Amino acid sequence: MAKKIEVKVPDIGDYHDVPVIEVLVRDGDAVEKDAPLLVLESDKATLEVPSPAAGTVRDFKLKASDKVSQGTLICSLEVAGDAGQETRDAKRETPAKQPAEQPAPAAASPAPAAKKDEPSRAASPAALLPVAIPDIGDYRDVPVIEVLVKDGDAVEKDAPLLVLESDKATLEVPSPAAGTVRDFKLKAGDKVSQGDPVCRLATAAVAVAVAADERSETRDAPKPPEHTTRSAVVTTDGAPPKPPAPVAAKGDTPYAGPAARKFARQLGVDLAQVSGSGTRGRIQIEDVQAYVKQALGAGLGPQPQAFGAQRLPLAVSETRALLPAIPVVDFAQFGEIETRPLARIRKLSAAHLHRAWLNVPHVTQTDEADITQVEAFRKSSTEETGVKLTLLPFIMKAVAKAMQAYPEFNSSLSADGESLILKKYCHIGFAAETEQGLVVPVVRDVDKKGVTQLAQECGALARKARDGKLKAEEMKGGCFSISSLGGIGGSHFTPIVNAPEVAILGASRAQMKPVWDGKQFQPRLMLPLSLSYDHRVIDGAYAARFIVQLVKLLTDVRRLAL
Ligand code: CAO
């Protein structure tokens, strides 16, 4: 029988009123034992609170920005059988994902006190205050992801020295005292556990004490505290250590918690490009969002006129800023090369296609349509009317009819992703190859026109495109695109959705194939179709139904005429 257990914030050390920065589940969610429920983040540590048992989340009480302490009620968990009792016990035994306590001064091992008769500047390194990894709970071999100081840096008490990050938590290791860093032993990638040496610290307290000692030349001056020694004067000339610089200003490593890092990774954002608004420049999720918004701002402008017709310089720089760079190679070292500048249209379409590729989760569904009848009709009609009919207008007409039956193919996502905009008109673009690159002229109201008229309009638009005379208006307002490569060859391919449209149809070269009619093989002209769609808007089953309908329409020429 299912039982409900209360899930509370576990022992999180000395932390109180820690803000919730991310809620990872909601009521009704099924969670596994140890699955993260929420993320807490103070200015020193970020940690996930895992589920104490497998079960179903009920009565979730918290939201982002709520502040919690040990014992704060998170939710109830509906668990099967005796799991509740077991997990309650387990929870008491193993405090979940405890963040790093700030290293107590105890993390710095005592060093021998100085002997009065030793010259104060001849300190041995062993006399410096050793700093070790403090108690970091159950964590072992945690990777160092950032080193924030280097030898010679002056640090204040509690200033972060390095950042550790496991898959569940990010922890800063703060300095146990003010002083100057010596013998720093770690680098990013090293793995550490409690007690591992970090560095030594020439502490300010001792420097001051020794300076006072030197000034007064009093042999019975009070001894510095045991864990500090006169060796602190290795701050060269006995001057007090420099005030520490803000952490964010040190080094090139970005300073961010795991949630922000994960979010940045998901978006492909280079954190080094993001300015942090948190304490000491820590990068927050909102900073990553703001960065992406700023970088992509201009990319959400009006609908593209061709396969791209937006501001290229921004598109290129935004792409460069968001993606890991491809290494620059000097190709000339391997043989002769020629550098050819890209035409404007090619650059525009490159940026547009790249944007669509990055934004749209693509799926490509393929099928083959028997166009034997359509082909016979096309040939006879061309002979009768003198108007050259290619396959494209038939495909276009079939697509328009399929879009009427499956209206989500004639839609776009709203800019905020909250709604679907369904269009009551049916304008279809077709990719046309020109010497300058790809353009997509748009044929209006395809649903209201016959194939002969569509053939004439397609022909006129394709000629204009090749002559470079296409007007901007003639490339706007498309609801769906067709890319026909059948005149060239090839079988199936994966066309890129012309976003913000939600689907594109690729047509390849029709081929005569033996098709089984139930009794025997018949020679049939089969047209390969490749339907790429935006999976955010269109489900696989819906897309499969659409392509089946399209195949039916293309198989029977009478259906196209209806
Ligand atoms: N299977 C077999 N033959 C086909 C065919 C197909 N799927 N599609 C066209 N053909 C035939 C045509 O019937 C014509 O033959 P005939 O002269 O014997 O009648 C010949 O191939 C040439 O047709 P076409 O390609 O010039 O004409 P179209 O109306 O089919 O296409 C256009 C027009 C503008 C789409 C085309 O010229 C074009 O530019 N295609 C390239 C599109 C492209 O680059 N897409 C990629 C975009 S994504 O990278």
Side-chain angles (χ1 to χ4, degrees):
M1 208 183 75
K3 283 185 181 178
K4 266 192 184 180
I5 60 170
E6 284 188 336
V7 181
K8 295 181 176 173
V9 173
D11 178 4
I12 51 173
D14 287 342
Y15 291 86
H16 300 287
D17 297 328
V18 185
V20 174
I21 60 156
E22 224 180 325
V23 169
L24 304 170
V25 293
R26 60 182 173 200
D27 279 356
D29 280 358
V31 291
E32 294 287 317
K33 184 173 187 308
D34 286 338
L37 300 174
L38 68 165
V39 183
L40 312 180
E41 185 170 88
S42 74
D43 63 339
K44 292 283 180 212
T46 306
L47 70 150
E48 288 177 355
V49 176
S51 176
T56 306
V57 174
R58 302 278 178 223
D59 312 321
F60 202 91
K61 306 266 182 235
L62 300 170
K63 59 181 187 321
S65 83
D66 281 354
K67 293 188 174 171
V68 300
S69 304
Q70 180 178 351
T72 303
L73 185 60
I74 299 173
C75 63
S76 305
L77 202 61
E78 217 168 73
V79 296
D82 293 335
Q85 189 54 49
E86 280 165 24
T87 37
R88 271 194 299 277
D89 295 346
K91 205 173 97 191
R92 272 196 295 273
E93 279 160 24
T94 46
K97 316 302 171 201
Q98 191 164 339
E101 302 243 339
Q102 299 184 20
S109 333
K115 288 182 187 156
K116 286 178 189 170
D117 50 356
E118 278 180 18
S120 61
R121 286 169 194 272
S124 77
L128 292 163
L129 171 65
V131 179
I133 299 291
D135 177 3
I136 50 173
D138 287 342
Y139 292 96
R140 303 269 176 283
D141 297 327
V142 185
V144 174
I145 58 152
E146 290 178 27
V147 168
L148 303 168
V149 296
K150 59 182 183 313
D151 279 358
D153 279 355
V155 291
E156 288 207 327
K157 183 172 186 313
D158 289 339
L161 301 174
L162 66 157
V163 183
L164 314 180
E165 187 171 271
S166 73
D167 59 341
K168 294 281 181 207
T170 298
L171 317 160
E172 281 180 358
V173 175
S175 177
T180 303
V181 175
R182 301 286 176 217
D183 304 328
F184 200 91
K185 300 203 184 307
L186 299 168
K187 58 183 187 322
D190 285 352
K191 294 190 172 166
V192 294
S193 304
Q194 181 179 350
D196 285 349
V198 174
C199 63
R200 298 180 216 232
L201 212 54
T203 65
V206 176
V208 171
V210 174
D213 187 38
E214 283 177 341
R215 273 198 305 278
S216 65
E217 290 182 6
T218 312
R219 290 197 152 263
D220 52 355
K223 259 204 248 174
E226 248 201 359
H227 66 277
T228 57
T229 77
R230 62 190 162 71
S231 68
V233 293
V234 288
T235 51
T236 60
D237 53 3
K242 287 177 283 175
V247 171
K250 283 182 191 288
D252 297 326
T253 41
Y255 179 44
R261 280 177 192 287
K262 186 173 170 190
F263 186 57
R265 267 197 301 275
Q266 283 166 347
L267 298 182
V269 170
D270 176 5
L271 277 177
Q273 310 285 333
V274 181
S275 342
S277 63
T279 316
R280 296 185 314 282
R282 188 187 189 90
I283 297 167
Q284 318 282 332
I285 285 182
E286 302 84 73
D287 298 325
V288 179
Q289 282 168 337
Y291 171 78
V292 172
K293 210 169 163 186
Q294 190 191 9
L296 292 179
L300 299 172
Q303 186 166 354
Q305 295 169 2
F307 253 42
Q310 310 214 0
R311 280 158 283 182
L312 178 72
L314 180 68
V316 168
S317 61
E318 91 202 10
T319 300
R320 286 197 183 133
L322 291 173
L323 294 175
I326 290 171
V328 179
V329 175
D330 174 15
F331 301 106
Q333 66 182 305
F334 305 113
E336 194 187 348
I337 59 163
E338 175 200 336
T339 303
R340 187 187 301 163
L342 288 179
R344 186 178 154 274
I345 290 182
R346 198 169 290 278
K347 288 196 279 186
L348 288 169
S349 62
H352 176 66
L353 288 165
H354 198 184
R355 195 158 37 228
W357 180 256
L358 290 173
N359 277 286
V360 175
H362 282 74
V363 179
T364 303
Q365 168 74 62
T366 63
D367 205 343
E368 289 189 349
D370 180 344
I371 56 163
T372 317
Q373 270 192 22
V374 167
E375 183 63 5
F377 178 82
R378 186 181 78 81
K379 283 195 170 143
S380 64
S381 172
T382 303
E383 280 169 21
E384 279 169 28
T385 63
V387 177
K388 171 144 190 188
L389 280 182
T390 59
L391 207 50
L392 180 64
F394 291 92
I395 299 172
M396 198 171 259
K397 190 71 196 167
V399 165
K401 283 184 176 285
M403 284 167 83
Q404 282 172 335
Y406 296 94
E408 282 170 32
F409 275 87
N410 193 2
S411 74
S412 286
L413 268 180
S414 62
D416 61 5
E418 295 288 325
S419 44
L420 201 58
I421 300 159
L422 292 143
K423 298 159 203 169
K424 306 291 180 190
Y425 51 87
C426 183
H427 308 333
I428 296 181
F430 64 96
E433 186 190 24
T434 75
E435 276 183 10
Q436 303 297 306
L438 265 187
V439 289
V440 186
V442 174
V443 180
R444 314 266 134 191
D445 300 315
V446 174
D447 54 331
K448 299 191 175 92
K449 294 175 181 167
V451 281
T452 309
Q453 187 179 352
L454 292 174
Q456 286 167 332
E457 290 190 22
C458 285
L461 286 167
R463 272 190 300 280
K464 272 180 141 181
R466 281 176 195 136
D467 295 344
K469 292 188 177 150
L470 218 49
K471 296 191 188 105
E473 301 81 69
E474 290 170 312
M475 295 184 274
K476 282 185 183 168
C479 310
F480 187 104
S481 295
I482 297 173
S483 174
S484 172
L485 293 171
I488 302 164
S491 55
H492 294 94
F493 64 109
T494 54
I496 297 177
V497 172
N498 188 13
E501 295 167 17
V502 294
I504 182 168
L505 181 76
S508 302
R509 189 160 194 83
Q511 276 190 34
M512 209 45 107
K513 288 188 176 178
V515 177
W516 186 251
D517 70 358
K519 291 183 189 151
Q520 57 188 330
F521 283 105
Q522 299 283 356
R524 308 298 296 179
L525 188 62
M526 303 303 289
L527 174 70
L529 298 172
S530 308
L531 174 74
S532 291
Y533 58 90
D534 184 338
H535 209 348
R536 294 173 301 176
V537 175
I538 291 164
D539 295 335
Y542 195 80
R545 286 189 189 104
F546 178 89
I547 205 165
V548 165
Q549 176 73 6
L550 196 59
V551 164
K552 259 191 206 159
L553 288 160
L554 282 166
T555 300
D556 183 354
V557 77
R558 286 166 307 175
R559 287 180 199 256
L560 284 182
L562 288 175

